[in-house]
Amino acid sequence: MPARRAIDHACPIRDVLDRIGDAWSLLVMIELAKGPCRFNALRRVIDGISQRMLSVTLRHLERDGLVSRAVLPTAPPQVEYTLTPLGHSLIDRLEPLRQWAVAHQGAVRRARAEFDTRVMDPAT
Amino acid sequence: MPARRAIDHACPIRDVLDRIGDAWSLLVMIELAKGPCRFNALRRVIDGISQRMLSVTLRHLERDGLVSRAVLPTAPPQVEYTLTPLGHSLIDRLEPLRQWAVAHQGAVRRARAEFDTRVMDPAT
DNA sequence: CCGTATCCTTCTGGATACTG
DNA sequence: CAGTATCCAGAAGGATACGG
């Protein structure tokens, strides 16, 4: 995605999509929705995320008030991440979308297959 | 966004976000939700989209069965794009998300401001 | 009018190495 | 353990030119 332009501010939903549309934010939030979790624990369970992107993603979410960060007074220091009420309210609103995906994934797959054969197949 | 990896298929909502999370798909769908529209008309109203990205985006949406393409038998040839019922059902499901964005954009902005001062400010 | 093809810049994000 | 810094490959996307 390129840098956001002026037009984007016109649509509030764009702000949300910019926040959760990337590869990892949603996955991290879903994981944290199950309960608080520490950095490396998240890293293990998310599978495939690089240390850098987990760090970047968590910072982003924390900045937007969707995730909170707590340094536990232990030695060695542990850091626990928790989904905030705001974060919970967001993933709740994502539920209809998930249901749509489940309900219509068959239709989309079929549309794709039909499109691919129609475009690839030169037989008119 | 990087190329999708194996893990992504585990989450149906990822498929949806990959479809509407990019910069233009949503804007195009919102525009088409108002009614059928031709290529250059879309291009004018979307403002900022390049000819290439409009073409790519429309093809993507058409492939997924969210938009249909009709070549009108006029001279010069005109092409009309229409949001399918499937496409309509998807943007309907986006409404709760839009409402969330509107309702909480203040909270997010405040969280951001607080975060920025806290991180930037070396006091403590 | 409606696109596709090519080029080239910009941005994303993984790998790696190093701090508190 | 929990990150940050640097480097670099690859993908996204705008500009431009050309075809149906």
Side-chain angles (χ1 to χ4, degrees):
Chain A
M1 243 179 280
R4 300 262 64 83
R5 282 170 300 283
I7 183 178
D8 302 317
H9 303 305
C11 186
I13 214 176
R14 261 260 62 85
D15 295 335
V16 180
L17 287 176
D18 285 346
R19 201 158 299 122
I20 63 173
D22 67 286
W24 303 114
S25 295
L26 181 67
L27 246 31
V28 170
M29 287 185 71
I30 288 177
E31 217 34 62
L32 287 179
K34 301 173 185 171
C37 197
R38 290 188 296 117
F39 189 89
N40 279 342
L42 275 175
R43 214 187 147 192
R44 274 187 298 273
V45 72
I46 302 255
D47 183 85
I49 194 170
S50 64
Q51 193 174 26
R52 182 178 173 279
M53 284 318 293
L54 180 55
S55 177
V56 168
T57 301
L58 283 170
R59 263 218 168 221
H60 211 144
L61 292 173
E62 189 198 354
R63 185 171 118 97
D64 287 343
L66 300 168
V67 160
S68 65
R69 180 178 183 275
V71 181
L72 305 181
T74 57
Q78 300 185 337
V79 179
E80 191 170 77
Y81 291 92
T82 310
L83 201 61
T84 64
L86 191 64
H88 273 288
S89 78
L90 175 55
I91 61 173
D92 284 349
R93 302 312 190 94
L94 251 28
E95 185 57 18
L97 212 54
R98 196 193 63 79
Q99 288 178 1
W100 184 93
V102 172
H104 296 94
Q105 55 187 359
V108 169
R109 227 191 343 263
R110 264 179 277 115
R112 254 182 222 186
E114 192 273 334
F115 181 88
D116 289 347
T117 52
R118 177 157 48 86
V119 170
M120 298 311 183
D121 197 337
T124 298
Chain B
M1 243 179 280
R4 300 263 64 83
R5 282 168 302 281
I7 183 180
D8 302 318
H9 304 306
C11 185
I13 215 176
R14 262 259 61 86
D15 295 335
V16 181
L17 288 177
D18 286 346
R19 201 156 300 123
I20 63 172
D22 67 284
W24 304 113
S25 295
L26 182 67
L27 247 30
V28 170
M29 288 185 71
I30 289 177
E31 218 33 62
L32 287 178
K34 301 173 184 172
C37 198
R38 292 189 295 118
F39 189 89
N40 279 342
L42 276 175
R43 214 188 148 194
R44 275 189 295 275
V45 71
I46 302 256
D47 184 84
I49 193 169
S50 64
Q51 194 174 24
R52 181 180 175 277
M53 285 318 293
L54 179 55
S55 177
V56 168
T57 301
L58 283 170
R59 256 204 171 237
H60 211 146
L61 292 173
E62 188 196 356
R63 185 172 118 98
D64 287 343
L66 300 168
V67 160
S68 64
R69 179 178 183 276
V71 181
L72 305 181
T74 57
Q78 300 185 337
V79 180
E80 191 170 79
Y81 291 92
T82 310
L83 200 62
T84 65
L86 191 63
H88 273 289
S89 78
L90 175 54
I91 62 173
D92 285 349
R93 302 312 189 93
L94 250 31
E95 185 54 19
L97 211 55
R98 195 192 64 78
Q99 288 178 1
W100 184 94
V102 172
H104 296 94
Q105 56 186 358
V108 170
R109 225 191 344 261
R110 262 178 279 116
R112 252 181 224 185
E114 192 274 335
F115 180 87
D116 289 347
T117 53
R118 177 157 46 86
V119 170
M120 298 312 185
D121 198 336
T124 299

